[in-house]
Amino acid sequence: MSGLSRRAFVRAGLAAGVGLGIGVPLGLGASGSASTGTVLRSGLPLPTAFTRPLPVPPVLAPVRRDASTDHFEITQARAMVSLLPGVRTEIWGYNGIFPGPTIVSRRGRTTVVRHRNLLPVPTVVHLHGGRTPHDSDGYPMDLHPPLSTTDYTYPLDQRAAALWYHDHRMDFTGPGVWRGLAGFHLIRDDEEDALGLPAGARELPLMLTDRSFAADGSLRYPSLDPTLTMTPGVTAPYMAGVLGDVMLVNGAPWPLADVDGAQYRLRVLNACNARRLDLRLDPGGSLTQIGTDGGLLATPVHHDHFELAPAQRLDAIVDFSAYRPGTEVTLVNDFGAGRMGEVLRFRVGERAPDRFRLPDRLSAIEPLGPPVVTRTMRFAYEGASRGWTINGQGFGTDVIAARPALGTTEVWRLMTDFHHPVHLHLNPFQVLSRGITGPGEFDAGWKDTIDLRPAEEAAIAVRFDGYRGKYVFHCHNLEHEDMMMMANFEVV
Ligand code: C2O
Ligand code: CU
Ligand code: CU
């Protein structure tokens, strides 16, 4: 089974005989300017919205705990599951489910996850948002072959946050995640506990993924269709990103969640390959942001909508007691056309006891010290032969774009041509500016992925600490990533 690999990409581009960048809108035209990518249509009727109950991924129990460490085990396997009514779908899943089981860790305790690979291909597991030693970070070439067993060690000396783990195989992250290799990994700590945030059934992890299905219920991805990798002009649009036409939340299409008339904590993850989301509650209501990729904000921020690019997380409080019992509250996506304009529906029940009071202060966010170095990283399409690049180069394991010294702070100026959600491994960052203005309204707190728009320039500050070694940073549009929009930094 081949991916939408960079080799196919280069071949297709050359066959087309022209640079994709010359007058070709890279799919921007068809889907509006909200996402860089092209919709892959499903070959079956789309299911009725808001009938399936919202599933919540199971929390994984450790197989063993000792004084300092919690040990988990996961088997990566194919499974036939029911995602859409009336058909069965083969997924690749952690423990054979999609999303994978949720891992919950405590700051200061080490987590070891033993992954056994029963898939027909090599895999790599990356803990997105993890401050992880190089040898457990899931470097894209650290491939674990079928039938191998690998221990990933996560010290997790970092703030409480919603991380996620996903496949990171060189050139094949897009199809791997599309088939189901993604799960939540939540970190808890004392600071968060002290806030008494909504918990248990009132804390909902929501993994949002768009997908496309063939008539027989199987997942569609461009590489699975040989005509798409052979025919110039058909292939090209998907090089900019694959957009699905079915919205899944925790693996269920447009689900329905029954909620109490009380406050809920929604932990939203955009796990789409390429689709950007603009989330809003209909008929109105506040998405009160308390956290982001790297954990709690300093203070809550009320939003009437929230833009979320691939890999980004939103931690929000929604107060369902503000609605009359029986109200249906829909989480909509204002970047989505047609059916993709809706995500999930909540059906509000009776008012229920709720002791949570939103505090004015949530956390302390330390400002990063003055940078020792400023670097520029330019994310751009460089024509058919070179593809998606960073500073004019496609990914190579020996291409080191930066060698920050351990413990130092740097400012990186990021420049783009199209939409590129840029992600750094190892350390979170703070957004300093966009263009000549300050950070955007969705940029607050510690980020690990910044949503860069076309022809934008932003500055981020990052302190490289924790571990020495070679790590990647890349565009988290997974089709761009697979087609070489990735580079290394080496902490020395
Ligand atoms: Cu979520 Cu290197 O990625
Ligand atoms: Cu990452
Ligand atoms: Cu990109």
Side-chain angles (χ1 to χ4, degrees):
M1 209 171 282
S2 79
L4 189 62
S5 75
R6 58 180 175 181
R7 282 164 295 275
F9 171 57
V10 170
R11 207 185 316 124
L14 292 174
V18 292
L20 292 172
I22 305 170
V24 177
L26 289 158
L28 284 165
S31 55
S33 61
S35 299
T36 296
T38 300
V39 177
L40 179 62
R41 297 263 165 233
S42 289
L44 41 64
L46 304 185
T48 310
F50 316 129
T51 54
R52 290 219 151 179
L54 173 74
V56 174
V59 172
L60 189 63
V63 292
R64 189 158 54 85
R65 291 183 197 275
D66 57 36
S68 63
T69 306
D70 301 327
H71 298 264
F72 297 88
E73 289 181 5
I74 288 179
T75 300
Q76 306 171 6
R78 292 192 276 200
M80 291 298 286
V81 300
S82 166
L83 299 180
L84 303 185
V87 290
R88 307 278 286 168
T89 302
E90 184 187 284
I91 58 144
W92 292 3
Y94 296 113
N95 283 352
I97 57 174
F98 168 56
T102 298
I103 300 174
V104 181
S105 294
R106 188 93 209 156
R107 176 174 191 168
R109 285 184 62 76
T110 298
T111 288
V112 174
V113 187
R114 172 164 294 180
H115 278 272
R116 183 161 162 71
N117 178 11
L118 296 187
L119 294 170
V121 297
T123 59
V124 177
V125 182
H126 170 58
L127 176 58
H128 181 122
R131 190 168 175 261
T132 305
H134 164 83
D135 55 358
S136 281
D137 192 53
Y139 191 77
M141 295 301 285
D142 285 349
L143 300 171
H144 297 286
L147 301 181
S148 66
T149 296
T150 309
D151 285 347
Y152 289 88
T153 300
Y154 304 116
L156 298 180
D157 181 13
Q158 59 186 103
R159 311 172 78 228
L163 313 188
W164 61 300
Y165 61 104
H166 63 76
D167 195 52
H168 214 303
R169 174 163 61 123
M170 185 72 199
D171 293 351
F172 292 90
T173 297
V177 172
W178 187 267
R179 288 187 176 94
L181 292 171
F184 277 101
H185 189 145
L186 307 179
I187 304 177
R188 310 284 192 198
D189 69 6
D190 295 343
E191 179 184 48
E192 185 190 75
D193 284 357
L195 297 176
L197 294 165
R202 292 192 188 160
E203 180 188 21
L204 291 174
L206 301 173
M207 183 188 288
L208 276 40
T209 56
D210 58 339
R211 293 291 183 267
S212 301
F213 296 83
D216 64 359
S218 60
L219 285 163
R220 284 196 77 192
Y221 191 79
S223 58
L224 298 178
D225 183 339
T227 63
L228 293 177
T229 52
M230 296 304 293
T231 313
V234 177
T235 312
Y238 296 101
M239 297 302 176
V242 180
L243 307 175
D245 63 357
V246 176
M247 180 57 81
L248 303 174
V249 184
N250 297 341
W254 296 287
L256 175 68
D258 278 302
V259 292
D260 295 336
Q263 296 166 97
Y264 277 67
R265 182 182 188 189
L266 306 184
R267 314 203 67 176
V268 188
L269 160 65
N270 180 346
C272 298
N273 281 31
R275 184 179 286 278
R276 296 170 68 248
L277 304 168
D278 184 11
L279 302 172
R280 179 171 60 80
L281 295 168
D282 177 42
S286 175
L287 289 164
T288 303
Q289 186 189 12
I290 58 168
T292 183
D293 307 342
L296 293 169
L297 303 186
T299 56
V301 182
H302 297 279
H303 295 278
D304 53 16
H305 74 119
F306 200 93
E307 294 180 14
L308 209 60
Q312 293 188 313
R313 283 86 76 205
L314 165 66
D315 196 349
I317 300 291
V318 172
D319 185 2
F320 291 109
S321 75
Y323 305 91
R324 196 188 298 276
T327 305
E328 295 187 325
V329 180
T330 308
L331 185 68
V332 300
N333 164 28
D334 286 332
F335 282 159
R339 297 288 307 271
M340 297 311 286
E342 293 181 316
V343 177
L344 157 73
R345 178 164 291 170
F346 299 98
R347 192 164 54 195
V348 180
E350 297 297 320
R351 283 188 90 132
D354 182 357
R355 295 157 51 144
F356 175 63
R357 293 289 165 268
L358 187 70
D360 296 332
R361 287 211 67 78
L362 298 164
S363 181
I365 307 284
E366 56 170 316
L368 289 173
V372 297
V373 178
T374 297
R375 305 180 197 267
T376 299
M377 303 291 175
R378 204 167 54 81
F379 294 76
Y381 183 76
E382 295 276 4
S385 59
R386 286 197 293 162
W388 296 106
T389 65
I390 300 175
N391 287 350
Q393 296 202 63
F395 183 71
T397 52
D398 299 330
V399 182
I400 311 288
R403 282 199 172 75
L406 186 71
T408 61
T409 297
E410 301 195 350
V411 167
W412 286 17
R413 293 167 59 242
L414 310 173
M415 298 163 69
T416 54
D417 52 357
F418 295 104
H419 287 285
H420 298 295
V422 172
H423 168 54
L424 274 64
H425 285 216
L426 183 62
N427 296 121
F429 53 80
Q430 295 172 2
V431 179
L432 302 177
S433 63
R434 285 186 184 255
I436 54 167
T437 64
E441 59 178 315
F442 313 114
D443 290 336
W446 289 103
K447 306 292 298 173
D448 61 42
T449 307
I450 178 173
D451 180 23
L452 289 168
R453 292 163 300 194
E456 196 163 39
E457 179 187 329
I460 62 170
V462 52
R463 184 173 57 220
F464 293 92
D465 67 9
Y467 306 97
R468 291 192 168 83
K470 189 165 71 168
Y471 293 86
V472 291
F473 66 102
H474 56 87
C475 179
H476 219 288
N477 173 316
L478 296 182
E479 283 73 39
H480 297 189
E481 174 186 341
D482 282 345
M483 288 176 280
M484 300 194 281
M485 192 171 249
M486 180 156 67
N488 299 286
F489 63 89
E490 185 174 8
V491 182
V492 296

